[in-house]
Amino acid sequence: MAMAKFNVLHWHIVDDPSFPYYSPTFPSLAEKGAYDMNHVYRISDILQVISFAENHGIVVVPEFDTPGHTLSWGKGLRELPNILVRVWAHLGVTTARSTVC
């Protein structure tokens, strides 16, 4: 990235299909939402990426994209999708996908 003069890595750590971040606070998000536990970022992995990037002049912007891109969250926290839907409903927004399977 630095050689191509890109200096910001906007890192979408999680997305709809998978939740590949292991949270010590909410371990079920990764245990049930990741493709498998062999492909999960841990805090030490994220710190290593950030350290490597800093040494090469790159800023890392990690992102947990909400309220969109949260289908994978519902696998680990069944109550979470309904909370997000209620927030959208409160704002007067209707969505095509109001529940998570």
Side-chain angles (χ1 to χ4, degrees):
M1 286 182 61
M3 288 175 52
K5 300 191 186 222
F6 291 116
N7 63 355
V8 176
L9 171 62
H10 186 153
W11 185 8
H12 287 252
I13 295 178
V14 301
D15 211 336
D16 265 351
S18 180
F19 196 99
Y21 167 69
Y22 183 81
S23 166
T25 306
F26 300 104
S28 63
L29 285 170
E31 292 166 354
K32 296 178 182 175
Y35 289 130
D36 66 62
M37 290 303 289
N38 292 321
H39 297 96
V40 171
Y41 299 111
R42 305 217 179 244
I43 293 172
S44 60
D45 299 320
I46 293 170
L47 292 174
Q48 183 178 3
V49 168
I50 291 170
S51 175
F52 181 87
E54 284 179 347
N55 290 334
H56 291 85
I58 298 168
V59 174
V60 178
V61 179
E63 181 180 332
F64 290 80
D65 194 6
T66 61
H69 305 285
T70 56
L71 289 177
S72 64
W73 298 40
K75 297 172 186 172
L77 293 174
R78 298 304 290 175
E79 68 279 6
L80 185 61
N82 294 327
I83 291 170
L84 294 174
V85 169
R86 285 196 302 268
V87 169
W88 279 110
H90 174 73
L91 296 173
V93 177
T94 58
T95 61
R97 291 188 282 190
S98 60
T99 60
V100 174
C101 300

